[in-house]
Amino acid sequence: MSVFNRGDTGFIIQARLGSSRLPGKALLFFRGSTIIGCILDQLIEAGVSKTSICIATSTSKLDDVLSLYLEGLGYRVFRGDEEDVLSRFQGAAVATEFKNIIRLTGDNPRLNLGLIEHCVRAHLANGAALTSTRKIEGTQVTRFVPKGLSVDVLDSDALLSIAPESLTPFEREHVIPVFYKNHHVFLITDFEVDDPEVSIDTISDYARLFEL
């Protein structure tokens, strides 16, 4: 059985259209589809079932069109707080009942599926609360793969044990930093990746995407 289609493991992809630097970026055109559509297509081509995928977007009116677009493609959508992304992930975890959550973001359109599978297998083997390709200390991030390819695999029980009201706004917005305070984290530091850095934060990032 593929690690992507275990009954207890699934993808939660966070996405919203209200980015201040590049509004609407998840629905920008890319490869005959949209940026988020391209992410979903890659997962489906890898054999991931739609039932193993949930997109966590916000309750903002701006994200109505994103929700309608994704539901029209047959994907499950969970909508939660726009700024408190951790509570949004907690809601999505409850709604999906995934035991292990593969966290991706809707503005990183080039996936390394071998890396994702490696992270999932490591997570299942090590019993950590978080298995990740990056180390976060405060606001300092040490990446072990190029930006845009980051993978986080979360244990749902650990995620749901966190009280959002006890966190800083930064921790609520970014989900992962709080795990480095008092949870078992397993780092993926030695997976070789040849892919370039691809993360769509600005219009220049989007333009560069077509040159890769």
Side-chain angles (χ1 to χ4, degrees):
M1 179 194 304
S2 168
V3 294
F4 296 149
N5 280 321
R6 293 167 50 98
D8 62 354
T9 300
F11 290 83
I12 295 181
I13 304 170
Q14 70 182 65
R16 67 185 181 99
L17 299 182
S19 168
S20 59
R21 289 182 291 178
L22 187 57
K25 59 184 174 180
L27 292 181
L28 291 175
F29 175 83
F30 184 56
R31 289 184 177 174
S33 180
T34 60
I35 285 180
I36 195 163
C38 181
I39 294 170
L40 295 167
D41 288 345
Q42 290 173 80
L43 294 178
I44 297 301
E45 289 168 8
V48 180
S49 68
K50 287 187 177 181
T51 58
S52 296
I53 300 171
C54 176
I55 298 87
T57 191
S58 87
T59 54
S60 166
K61 292 291 289 183
L62 286 174
D63 289 318
D64 287 353
V65 64
L66 177 61
S67 181
L68 288 171
Y69 168 74
L70 293 166
E71 289 173 344
L73 294 176
Y75 290 96
R76 176 168 31 178
V77 175
F78 178 85
R79 302 185 69 173
D81 191 280
E82 184 172 20
E83 302 299 333
D84 191 343
V85 186
L86 188 135
S87 72
R88 195 196 315 167
F89 257 78
Q90 289 178 322
V94 171
T96 59
E97 298 184 338
F98 295 151
K99 166 62 178 169
N100 307 293
I101 297 168
I102 307 162
R103 174 182 179 262
L104 300 177
T105 55
D107 55 359
N108 295 329
R110 291 172 58 124
L111 306 182
N112 186 310
L113 291 160
L115 171 63
I116 296 172
E117 182 171 3
H118 178 78
C119 291
V120 173
R121 292 191 183 281
H123 184 78
L124 295 173
N126 66 51
L130 167 70
T131 300
S132 182
T133 60
R134 55 196 169 152
K135 183 177 183 180
I136 302 177
E137 299 172 296
T139 59
Q140 180 68 37
V141 181
T142 302
R143 302 181 189 278
F144 302 105
V145 299
K147 185 180 180 183
L149 295 177
S150 298
V151 180
D152 302 305
V153 187
L154 313 176
D155 177 80
S156 181
D157 288 341
L159 174 66
L160 294 174
S161 73
I162 298 168
E165 62 273 12
S166 69
L167 307 181
T168 67
F170 177 84
E171 290 168 336
R172 291 189 186 196
E173 180 182 358
H174 295 280
V175 182
I176 300 304
V178 66
F179 280 85
Y180 287 87
K181 283 186 171 180
N182 51 16
H183 289 85
H184 174 202
V185 177
F186 185 84
L187 292 174
I188 303 296
T189 62
D190 57 355
F191 191 91
E192 294 187 9
V193 173
D194 295 327
D195 305 73
E197 179 177 305
V198 183
S199 184
I200 312 304
D201 295 316
T202 64
I203 192 65
S204 60
D205 293 334
Y206 177 56
R208 187 168 59 88
L209 185 61
F210 293 89
E211 301 171 359
L212 300 174

